[in-house]
Amino acid sequence: MRLAPALAFAAPLLAVALLTVGCGGKTNHGSPSDGGVTAEGGGGPPGVDGGPGAEGGTGSEGGAGNEGGPASEAGPIPTASANKVDLLFMLDNSASMGDKQVLLAAAVPDVLQGLVSLQVHDMHVGIVTSSLGGRGGDQCNPSATNPASPSLNAHNDDRGELIDRSGVAGDPTVETVPAAGENASHFLGWFPSDAANSGATPPPAPVVTDEATLVGDFTGMVEGVHEHGCGFEAQNEAWYRFLVQPDPFDTITKNGTQAAFTGVDATILQQRHDFLRPDSLLIVVVLTDESEAVADPLSISGQGWAFENEQFPGSTNGSAPEGSIECKNLDPNNPLTTGPNDPNCTSCAFLQGAPNFATECPNDGTNGTNGYLDPIDDQLNVRFFHQKERFGLLAGYPTSRYVRGLSKTTVPDSQHEHDGNGNYIGDQDAQANCTNPIFAASLPANGTGELCNLPPGPRTSGLVLYEAIAGVPHQLLQQDPTNPDSPQKTALTDADWKLILGTDPENYDFRGADFHMIEDWNPRTTQGVYANASQCPPGSPNDCDPINGRECATNEGDLQFACIFDIRSLYGGVGKDCTQAKFLGACDCASGALGSTTPLCDTTTPTLQIYAKAYPSVREMIIAHALGEQGLVSSLCPIHVTDTGGGDPLYGYRPAVLSLLARAGKSLTQ
C-alpha cells in the first residue's frame, strides 16, 4: 500500500489552505513549574479563529449563530457566578514527566485547601491524561507494559476517560487500588456535611467529607499517573474529548488507508454526565512539558493517522513525504506569503507524476528519494514539529478547535468537523451543529439517546477557566525577571505575549519572540527576527544560560529546551540515578537517551540526572492567550525548587495555584 497514490485523488486539498501548523513533537518531556498569570493584554494572535481574545470574549452570549440550532433556543438566565467547582486536571504521562508530577502532588494541598477556603462546599475533582493511543497508527500499543514494572500497564491509551489509579511519590513502579473517596465514575466528590449543603444534591457515592481525605486521595491519584504513556501527547485533545466532543468515538477503523470513527464511547458519556454540572465553575488545568503532538486521524482524506506510524505507509524509505520546495523557503520578515504559507506549498505526495515533480520535490538529503524525506529529517520523536514546513500539510488539529470548545455554546459533532478533503472546518460557526456539552443544561448518560441537540444551560464563558502549567520560562512571567525572588505578574501585557509567542506562531510568524520560546531543532544562536538569540551554543558550559543551560546538538531528533530546573532536592539532594530499574524508560540521562548529552546530566556522573526540562509549549500558550481572562499560564520550571518555609509563595507550583485561586475567586459565590 503506497501513500502517494492513495493521496493523489485528493489533489483539491491543495486549494483549501492548510494554514495552521502543528507544533512540538517529542517523546521525552520536560518539567512542571510555577508562575501563573492571567492571559490578559490584547486579543488572541492572528489566525486563531473563534477565540474571544482578551477583550470581551464571545462567551456563551450569542452562541455560534446557527439558525434553528441549539444556540438559538431559549435558555435559562445566564449564570455569572457559581458555588460549585468541577476541577479537571489533564496530566501529561509521557516519559520524563515524573519529576513534574511530584511537584504537582506537593501543590495539591494548596489547590484543594485554597478552594475550600473560598467556601466551595461542592466540588468534583478528576484526572485525564495525555495518552490517547496511536490514533490509527502503529505506536502506543494499549497493551504495552511499564518497562520499569512489567506487571503494570504502560497506560499508552487512557482514551480521554477519567483515571482512578493511585501511586507513591517518586516511585513509578507502585500502582495501588483506587482512592478511597472515588465513585464509580472515578472522580472525587467533595461534599462536607455542613449547613451550606443542606438540601443540596450530593455527588455520586461515596462522598468526601473531610479535607484530609480529599487531599490524601487526590495526591495519590496524581502520583499514580506515572510517566510511561504515549509519546504522542494529546494534551488538549484529551480534555476536549472528555468535556466537549458531543459524540466521542469508541474506536478508529480503517478501510485500506482511510480511517473512520466507529461507535460512541459510552464510558466518557457516563463519566461526563456524572462529573460536569451545568452551573459549576469549570476549571481545566493542563500540566505538560511541551506542545501537543497528536494526529487528527480523519485529516488528509482520512489518512492523518499515518503520521503516528513509525514507518510511513507507502514510503520508499520509511519516511513521510516532503513538502514542495516552496514550503522550505520561509522569509522570516514576510512569513504570511512565503514558506509554509506560500500558495504553492504542498505535499510531494500530491505531486507524484506531475511534470514538475523533479523541480518541486528534489531529493532531500543523502537518503531522501522520490519525494520522501531523508530519515534523519523525519525522526519519530519530532514528527509533529513544523509539519507544514516539512511535509507541506498539517495532520493535527488547529488550536481554534480548543478555544471554541471552552468559549462557544455550540460545537460540531464528528460528521461536521471536516470537508470532503479532510480539512478541519469544525472551528467555523456554520459547522457547529451541536450544543457544547460544557454549556448544556443536561447531559446524556449513554450513547442511545440524543447527543447533539441538548438544552442550553446557564453557564457563561466566564465560568470556564483554562490554566496551562507548561513550557515557558518563569522569567517571562515575573515582575522582575532579573530578581530570582520576584513574584509573578497578575496579568500579561501585549509586549509579554510578543516575547512568549512572537506575532503569529501557528502561521510561522515568530517576529519578536524570545528565543527560548522558539521551537527548533537547530541551535537558536543566530540573531534574526527573534527578540534575542542564544549566546550559548552547543559545547558551552551547562550553566551558560541561566534559563535553559545552553543549546544542544539534537541531530534533528529533539528540540531545544525552553527552560530547565534543578531536581536534586526531589531525590535526596543527589539527583535521579538513571541506572535504577525503577526509572527504566523514563530518565533523560540514561545511557543513549535523547537527553544524555544535554545540561540535564551531571558532568561527573553522566547517568545522574540533576535537572528536568521543558520544551516551548507553544500550542498551550496560544490557547490561553486566545481565551483572554479565561486563560492562565504558568511555568513548568519553578522559581524556587525548594521551599524556603513560611508557605513560600514562589515554591514549586504555588504561583500557579495562587493565580488560579485569585481568578476563581472572582467567579465564586461568597
Side-chain angles (χ1 to χ4, degrees):
M1 141 179 101
R2 291 181 56 81
L3 181 59
L7 285 171
F9 77 92
L13 176 66
L14 308 182
V16 184
L18 286 170
L19 294 180
T20 32
V21 178
C23 305
K26 237 125 304 359
T27 50
N28 296 331
H29 305 56
S31 51
S33 173
D34 48 53
V37 293
T38 58
E40 297 174 354
V48 181
D49 299 326
E55 301 168 3
T58 55
S60 59
E61 299 89 355
N66 290 316
E67 296 182 5
S72 65
E73 297 177 2
I77 297 174
T79 298
S81 62
N83 59 6
K84 306 171 186 174
V85 170
D86 293 334
L87 175 59
L88 181 69
F89 283 83
M90 194 308 304
L91 303 185
D92 187 338
N93 70 326
S94 59
S96 81
M97 278 299 298
D99 314 314
K100 295 84 171 182
Q101 293 166 9
V102 170
L103 280 174
L104 179 63
V108 163
D110 296 324
V111 178
L112 301 182
Q113 292 170 356
L115 288 170
V116 171
S117 72
L118 291 173
Q119 304 303 308
V120 176
H121 300 269
D122 187 349
M123 179 165 52
H124 294 175
V125 188
I127 295 173
V128 296
T129 79
S130 60
S131 289
L132 295 185
R135 311 279 289 173
D138 62 8
Q139 297 300 291
C140 301
N141 183 342
S143 300
T145 59
N146 179 339
S149 183
S151 64
L152 301 177
N153 189 277
H155 304 299
N156 275 325
D157 189 2
D158 285 322
R159 294 174 56 84
E161 299 167 0
L162 295 174
I163 65 165
D164 64 355
R165 49 189 182 264
S166 189
V168 174
D171 192 341
T173 68
V174 177
E175 190 171 304
T176 63
V177 296
E182 288 185 21
N183 56 52
S185 285
H186 309 312
F187 63 86
L188 298 178
W190 166 247
F191 197 79
S193 301
D194 54 28
N197 284 331
S198 178
T201 302
V207 298
V208 180
T209 59
D210 67 276
E211 287 188 37
T213 299
L214 177 67
V215 170
D217 283 3
F218 192 68
T219 300
M221 290 170 65
V222 170
E223 292 165 347
V225 170
H226 293 327
E227 56 177 337
H228 291 96
C230 184
F232 287 129
E233 304 91 335
Q235 297 96 321
N236 296 296
E237 188 60 21
W239 63 253
Y240 186 94
R241 175 172 163 83
F242 177 71
L243 290 171
V244 179
Q245 184 66 46
D247 54 341
F249 65 84
D250 185 46
T251 59
I252 297 173
T253 58
K254 286 184 292 188
N255 181 9
T257 62
Q258 190 169 29
F261 294 152
T262 303
V264 177
D265 188 330
T267 298
I268 282 184
L269 294 179
Q270 180 67 62
Q271 290 182 343
R272 182 193 294 167
H273 170 273
D274 294 345
F275 177 85
L276 182 62
R277 278 83 62 85
D279 55 351
S280 66
L281 170 63
L282 173 62
I283 303 173
V284 179
V285 178
V286 172
L287 182 83
T288 185
D289 63 355
E290 67 176 299
S291 262
E292 189 169 45
V294 62
D296 171 1
L298 304 191
S299 65
I300 320 170
S301 298
Q303 296 171 91
W305 61 268
F307 283 83
E308 292 201 19
N309 235 53
E310 182 172 16
Q311 298 293 308
F312 211 84
S315 171
T316 57
N317 61 3
S319 296
E322 65 178 317
S324 62
I325 195 168
E326 293 86 358
C327 304
K328 304 175 180 64
N329 295 327
L330 175 68
D331 177 357
N333 290 300
N334 186 29
L336 298 185
T337 56
T338 65
N341 294 314
D342 186 309
N344 293 315
C345 169
T346 187
S347 171
C348 290
F350 304 144
L351 297 175
Q352 291 280 353
N356 62 343
F357 179 80
T359 56
E360 285 292 296
C361 302
N363 287 346
D364 174 60
T366 303
N367 297 306
T369 60
N370 198 34
Y372 292 95
L373 289 167
D374 188 317
I376 198 172
D377 293 331
D378 182 33
Q379 297 181 61
L380 195 63
N381 193 52
V382 289
R383 179 61 66 77
F384 285 83
F385 164 59
H386 285 184
Q387 286 195 331
K388 188 76 188 298
E389 182 178 42
R390 297 164 58 211
F391 308 133
L393 48 77
L394 173 70
Y397 295 101
T399 57
S400 51
R401 166 180 175 84
Y402 307 113
V403 175
R404 181 178 197 99
L406 293 175
S407 62
K408 297 271 190 151
T409 58
T410 56
V411 292
D413 62 12
S414 59
Q415 298 301 310
H416 290 78
E417 292 185 305
H418 302 86
D419 66 14
N421 292 314
N423 294 292
Y424 188 83
I425 55 175
D427 51 1
Q428 300 176 12
D429 286 353
Q431 300 302 117
N433 62 312
C434 297
T435 303
N436 185 339
I438 287 177
F439 299 104
S442 60
L443 298 172
N446 55 59
T448 61
E450 177 62 45
L451 301 180
C452 183
N453 192 25
L454 306 176
R459 181 183 281 115
T460 62
S461 63
L463 290 180
V464 183
L465 303 182
Y466 172 92
E467 180 169 41
I469 307 174
V472 56
H474 62 72
Q475 289 85 349
L476 297 182
L477 308 177
Q478 287 177 279
Q479 294 178 18
D480 180 1
T482 66
N483 180 359
D485 298 317
S486 172
Q488 302 298 317
K489 295 179 178 180
T490 57
L492 295 177
T493 65
D494 287 341
D496 294 326
W497 278 114
K498 180 62 73 70
L499 286 172
I500 293 171
L501 289 173
T503 301
D504 182 7
E506 273 196 306
N507 284 309
Y508 289 84
D509 190 344
F510 308 119
R511 289 175 291 185
D514 181 276
F515 79 87
H516 295 93
M517 288 302 294
I518 297 295
E519 293 181 295
D520 204 336
W521 55 30
N522 295 311
R524 297 161 297 186
T525 52
T526 302
Q527 185 64 56
V529 298
Y530 310 153
N532 50 11
S534 175
Q535 303 300 308
C536 302
S540 301
N542 282 352
D543 60 354
C544 177
D545 186 316
I547 295 177
N548 79 335
R550 59 171 170 79
E551 300 294 277
C552 303
T554 69
N555 195 33
E556 298 186 4
D558 201 5
L559 299 186
Q560 304 293 339
F561 302 151
C563 57
I564 63 175
F565 67 94
D566 196 320
I567 60 171
R568 280 173 281 199
S569 62
L570 302 180
Y571 299 94
V574 177
K576 189 175 181 179
D577 182 356
C578 293
T579 65
Q580 291 187 19
K582 67 179 181 179
F583 298 129
L584 185 64
C587 204
D588 287 307
C589 298
S591 180
L594 281 172
S596 61
T597 60
T598 69
L600 306 180
C601 309
D602 183 75
T603 54
T604 303
T605 308
T607 55
L608 181 65
Q609 183 175 344
I610 57 175
Y611 281 83
K613 68 184 183 297
Y615 300 99
S617 299
V618 176
R619 284 175 63 85
E620 288 70 33
M621 297 297 110
I622 291 172
I623 294 168
H625 183 206
L627 288 170
E629 290 191 357
Q630 290 174 255
L632 302 93
V633 297
S634 175
S635 176
L636 205 63
C637 301
I639 301 174
H640 289 176
V641 295
T642 57
D643 194 337
T644 61
D648 178 4
L650 303 182
Y651 167 62
Y653 299 136
R654 278 188 187 145
V657 171
L658 294 173
S659 178
L660 178 62
L661 293 176
R663 177 58 185 85
K666 297 178 181 180
S667 299
L668 290 170
T669 303
Q670 299 296 315

